Amino acid sequence: MKLFDVYSLYDIEPVRGSGSYVFTADGTPYLDLYGGHAVISIGHAHPHYVKAISDQVAALGFYSNSVQNSIQTRLAERLGKASGYKDYSLFLCNSGAEANENAIKAASFATGRSRILAFGKAFHGRTSGAVAATDYPAMRAPFNTTDHVTFVPLNDIEAVRRELASREFAAVIIEGIQGVSGIHEPDPEFLRQVAEECKATGTLLILDEIQSGYGRSGKFFAHQHAGVRPDIITCAKGIANGFPCAAVLLSPAIEARKGMLGTTFGGNHLACAAANAVLDVMEEEKLVENAAEVGEYLISELRKIPQLQNVRGRGLMIGFEVEGFTGPEFRKKLLFEQKVFTGGAGEFTVRLLPSLALSRKDADIFLSRLRNALEA
């Protein structure tokens, strides 16, 4: 049996990691400015993380949600405190798509409505409901109907008002910062106005913080830069530093009825141990603050490089284009000539999604290698 082709693969296999580096079998180090697609939040093989999940799997790696799990309870309490959403309820699942799927479902249950408002170039996942709200038609099979979804341009408040005036929409779903589209941020005033329109029309506001959340933007959630308070928040990616885990945070106004949402693997003992270890490290090493500081420095320095265009982002979620190159061409050049992993979006954007623990020293190493690639 051969593997199903999912992505185009570089001819490189990392076999171990440490901090902001991954290594191939021959010991060659690569600076990781991609984080496995924004997943590695506290760095590769952090000793505290390794010990926490090793100890947990040696004790009890899994049991279903039919029994009490104090590790889940601890995670809910700590996540509420860290994020500023102590009064919300927490539903744990396995992936970002699953989180958004359950967020949309919860909004429909709560409002009795079936329509969803989403935005141009949005990406919310590949499962049925999530992909229907994703503005990439090639990802949708004929089975994935979009009859119940309306797309409007990002940052167009008049378009939002026109649609929500019908009072037919269960929710507006929006990314804290659009990732797959190439790092595009909702204007803070636009986000505040969307929140106001939702409140006025009985529509719930879902903030998809799958990629932009968990400290990446320099605040715990990217929407907190705008000062809004959504009805539902979804997060995944960095929540457990690579162990499959995701979460839906639901406001007190949404009744958490038994049987409304469910999962077999979600919130299992090992996933929660990993997620608690991530919060330990984030708090102890002040990684949200580090993401803000190092990200601001990195963006500032990137803007000084004349060959780079449209440098944008917040914290350690950064995008730019390179004059004279497509994104894949330049990413390949960085990878093979300068030993740097980066991400991409579309035809031209290079995306940086490193660990929140990226040091100023490693940021400078990246900048030096980037300049070398441009000069070569």
Side-chain angles (χ1 to χ4, degrees), residues 280-295:
D280 289 340
V281 175
M282 287 178 68
E283 181 179 345
E284 177 69 23
E285 299 184 8
K286 300 187 183 306
L287 294 191
V288 179
E289 295 86 345
N290 186 71
E293 180 183 332
V294 177

PDB file of all heavy atoms in Angstrom, residues 280-295:
ATOM      1  N   ASP A 280       2.041  25.496  31.145  1.00  0.00           N
ATOM      2  CA  ASP A 280       3.131  25.651  32.124  1.00  0.00           C
ATOM      3  C   ASP A 280       4.279  26.454  31.517  1.00  0.00           C
ATOM      4  O   ASP A 280       4.773  27.418  32.105  1.00  0.00           O
ATOM      5  CB  ASP A 280       3.681  24.284  32.548  1.00  0.00           C
ATOM      6  CG  ASP A 280       2.735  23.484  33.419  1.00  0.00           C
ATOM      7  OD1 ASP A 280       1.822  24.078  34.015  1.00  0.00           O
ATOM      8  OD2 ASP A 280       2.913  22.245  33.485  1.00  0.00           O
ATOM      9  N   VAL A 281       4.725  26.019  30.338  1.00  0.00           N
ATOM     10  CA  VAL A 281       5.889  26.636  29.692  1.00  0.00           C
ATOM     11  C   VAL A 281       5.558  28.054  29.232  1.00  0.00           C
ATOM     12  O   VAL A 281       6.366  28.974  29.391  1.00  0.00           O
ATOM     13  CB  VAL A 281       6.380  25.773  28.511  1.00  0.00           C
ATOM     14  CG1 VAL A 281       7.514  26.466  27.767  1.00  0.00           C
ATOM     15  CG2 VAL A 281       6.821  24.404  29.005  1.00  0.00           C
ATOM     16  N   MET A 282       4.371  28.252  28.660  1.00  0.00           N
ATOM     17  CA  MET A 282       3.979  29.582  28.217  1.00  0.00           C
ATOM     18  C   MET A 282       4.006  30.574  29.375  1.00  0.00           C
ATOM     19  O   MET A 282       4.471  31.719  29.215  1.00  0.00           O
ATOM     20  CB  MET A 282       2.592  29.541  27.574  1.00  0.00           C
ATOM     21  CG  MET A 282       2.560  28.890  26.204  1.00  0.00           C
ATOM     22  SD  MET A 282       0.893  28.806  25.477  1.00  0.00           S
ATOM     23  CE  MET A 282       0.557  30.549  25.187  1.00  0.00           C
ATOM     24  N   GLU A 283       3.511  30.147  30.514  1.00  0.00           N
ATOM     25  CA  GLU A 283       3.471  31.026  31.681  1.00  0.00           C
ATOM     26  C   GLU A 283       4.871  31.248  32.249  1.00  0.00           C
ATOM     27  O   GLU A 283       5.287  32.383  32.497  1.00  0.00           O
ATOM     28  CB  GLU A 283       2.563  30.427  32.753  1.00  0.00           C
ATOM     29  CG  GLU A 283       2.441  31.276  34.004  1.00  0.00           C
ATOM     30  CD  GLU A 283       1.518  30.660  35.040  1.00  0.00           C
ATOM     31  OE1 GLU A 283       0.758  29.727  34.696  1.00  0.00           O
ATOM     32  OE2 GLU A 283       1.559  31.107  36.206  1.00  0.00           O
ATOM     33  N   GLU A 284       5.613  30.154  32.445  1.00  0.00           N
ATOM     34  CA  GLU A 284       6.933  30.232  33.073  1.00  0.00           C
ATOM     35  C   GLU A 284       7.914  31.043  32.225  1.00  0.00           C
ATOM     36  O   GLU A 284       8.708  31.845  32.754  1.00  0.00           O
ATOM     37  CB  GLU A 284       7.479  28.821  33.296  1.00  0.00           C
ATOM     38  CG  GLU A 284       8.882  28.752  33.892  1.00  0.00           C
ATOM     39  CD  GLU A 284       8.938  29.221  35.334  1.00  0.00           C
ATOM     40  OE1 GLU A 284       7.894  29.183  36.025  1.00  0.00           O
ATOM     41  OE2 GLU A 284      10.035  29.635  35.771  1.00  0.00           O
ATOM     42  N   GLU A 285       7.865  30.849  30.903  1.00  0.00           N
ATOM     43  CA  GLU A 285       8.828  31.502  30.015  1.00  0.00           C
ATOM     44  C   GLU A 285       8.270  32.758  29.346  1.00  0.00           C
ATOM     45  O   GLU A 285       8.937  33.344  28.492  1.00  0.00           O
ATOM     46  CB  GLU A 285       9.316  30.494  28.971  1.00  0.00           C
ATOM     47  CG  GLU A 285      10.013  29.292  29.604  1.00  0.00           C
ATOM     48  CD  GLU A 285      10.603  28.309  28.603  1.00  0.00           C
ATOM     49  OE1 GLU A 285      10.612  28.617  27.382  1.00  0.00           O
ATOM     50  OE2 GLU A 285      11.050  27.236  29.035  1.00  0.00           O
ATOM     51  N   LYS A 286       7.049  33.152  29.740  1.00  0.00           N
ATOM     52  CA  LYS A 286       6.417  34.380  29.229  1.00  0.00           C
ATOM     53  C   LYS A 286       6.432  34.413  27.696  1.00  0.00           C
ATOM     54  O   LYS A 286       6.903  35.374  27.070  1.00  0.00           O
ATOM     55  CB  LYS A 286       7.102  35.619  29.811  1.00  0.00           C
ATOM     56  CG  LYS A 286       7.049  35.693  31.329  1.00  0.00           C
ATOM     57  CD  LYS A 286       7.581  37.000  31.853  1.00  0.00           C
ATOM     58  CE  LYS A 286       7.600  37.041  33.381  1.00  0.00           C
ATOM     59  NZ  LYS A 286       6.306  36.727  34.001  1.00  0.00           N
ATOM     60  N   LEU A 287       5.895  33.358  27.104  1.00  0.00           N
ATOM     61  CA  LEU A 287       6.006  33.213  25.651  1.00  0.00           C
ATOM     62  C   LEU A 287       5.064  34.124  24.873  1.00  0.00           C
ATOM     63  O   LEU A 287       5.368  34.485  23.726  1.00  0.00           O
ATOM     64  CB  LEU A 287       5.776  31.751  25.251  1.00  0.00           C
ATOM     65  CG  LEU A 287       6.831  30.758  25.744  1.00  0.00           C
ATOM     66  CD1 LEU A 287       6.646  29.405  25.077  1.00  0.00           C
ATOM     67  CD2 LEU A 287       8.245  31.273  25.495  1.00  0.00           C
ATOM     68  N   VAL A 288       3.931  34.507  25.462  1.00  0.00           N
ATOM     69  CA  VAL A 288       3.056  35.451  24.761  1.00  0.00           C
ATOM     70  C   VAL A 288       3.780  36.791  24.629  1.00  0.00           C
ATOM     71  O   VAL A 288       3.779  37.414  23.561  1.00  0.00           O
ATOM     72  CB  VAL A 288       1.716  35.620  25.494  1.00  0.00           C
ATOM     73  CG1 VAL A 288       0.827  36.618  24.753  1.00  0.00           C
ATOM     74  CG2 VAL A 288       0.991  34.282  25.613  1.00  0.00           C
ATOM     75  N   GLU A 289       4.410  37.204  25.707  1.00  0.00           N
ATOM     76  CA  GLU A 289       5.179  38.447  25.685  1.00  0.00           C
ATOM     77  C   GLU A 289       6.364  38.333  24.715  1.00  0.00           C
ATOM     78  O   GLU A 289       6.685  39.285  23.991  1.00  0.00           O
ATOM     79  CB  GLU A 289       5.682  38.788  27.085  1.00  0.00           C
ATOM     80  CG  GLU A 289       4.593  39.104  28.086  1.00  0.00           C
ATOM     81  CD  GLU A 289       4.007  37.869  28.779  1.00  0.00           C
ATOM     82  OE1 GLU A 289       4.241  36.739  28.296  1.00  0.00           O
ATOM     83  OE2 GLU A 289       3.320  38.031  29.809  1.00  0.00           O
ATOM     84  N   ASN A 290       6.996  37.159  24.688  1.00  0.00           N
ATOM     85  CA  ASN A 290       8.118  36.955  23.763  1.00  0.00           C
ATOM     86  C   ASN A 290       7.662  37.033  22.315  1.00  0.00           C
ATOM     87  O   ASN A 290       8.343  37.617  21.465  1.00  0.00           O
ATOM     88  CB  ASN A 290       8.774  35.597  24.027  1.00  0.00           C
ATOM     89  CG  ASN A 290      10.032  35.401  23.195  1.00  0.00           C
ATOM     90  OD1 ASN A 290      11.056  36.026  23.439  1.00  0.00           O
ATOM     91  ND2 ASN A 290       9.949  34.531  22.186  1.00  0.00           N
ATOM     92  N   ALA A 291       6.492  36.452  22.017  1.00  0.00           N
ATOM     93  CA  ALA A 291       5.962  36.509  20.650  1.00  0.00           C
ATOM     94  C   ALA A 291       5.728  37.952  20.226  1.00  0.00           C
ATOM     95  O   ALA A 291       6.021  38.335  19.082  1.00  0.00           O
ATOM     96  CB  ALA A 291       4.674  35.708  20.536  1.00  0.00           C
ATOM     97  N   ALA A 292       5.220  38.774  21.146  1.00  0.00           N
ATOM     98  CA  ALA A 292       4.987  40.185  20.831  1.00  0.00           C
ATOM     99  C   ALA A 292       6.304  40.908  20.580  1.00  0.00           C
ATOM    100  O   ALA A 292       6.456  41.636  19.591  1.00  0.00           O
ATOM    101  CB  ALA A 292       4.224  40.859  21.975  1.00  0.00           C
ATOM    102  N   GLU A 293       7.281  40.692  21.453  1.00  0.00           N
ATOM    103  CA  GLU A 293       8.559  41.410  21.379  1.00  0.00           C
ATOM    104  C   GLU A 293       9.391  40.980  20.174  1.00  0.00           C
ATOM    105  O   GLU A 293       9.847  41.816  19.383  1.00  0.00           O
ATOM    106  CB  GLU A 293       9.346  41.187  22.675  1.00  0.00           C
ATOM    107  CG  GLU A 293      10.677  41.892  22.705  1.00  0.00           C
ATOM    108  CD  GLU A 293      11.460  41.601  23.979  1.00  0.00           C
ATOM    109  OE1 GLU A 293      10.820  41.329  25.018  1.00  0.00           O
ATOM    110  OE2 GLU A 293      12.702  41.621  23.925  1.00  0.00           O
ATOM    111  N   VAL A 294       9.606  39.669  20.033  1.00  0.00           N
ATOM    112  CA  VAL A 294      10.431  39.181  18.926  1.00  0.00           C
ATOM    113  C   VAL A 294       9.712  39.388  17.595  1.00  0.00           C
ATOM    114  O   VAL A 294      10.337  39.708  16.580  1.00  0.00           O
ATOM    115  CB  VAL A 294      10.817  37.699  19.140  1.00  0.00           C
ATOM    116  CG1 VAL A 294      11.616  37.169  17.957  1.00  0.00           C
ATOM    117  CG2 VAL A 294      11.621  37.545  20.422  1.00  0.00           C
ATOM    118  N   GLY A 295       8.383  39.243  17.607  1.00  0.00           N
ATOM    119  CA  GLY A 295       7.627  39.473  16.379  1.00  0.00           C
ATOM    120  C   GLY A 295       7.719  40.913  15.911  1.00  0.00           C
ATOM    121  O   GLY A 295       7.905  41.183  14.714  1.00  0.00           O
TER     122      GLY A 295
END
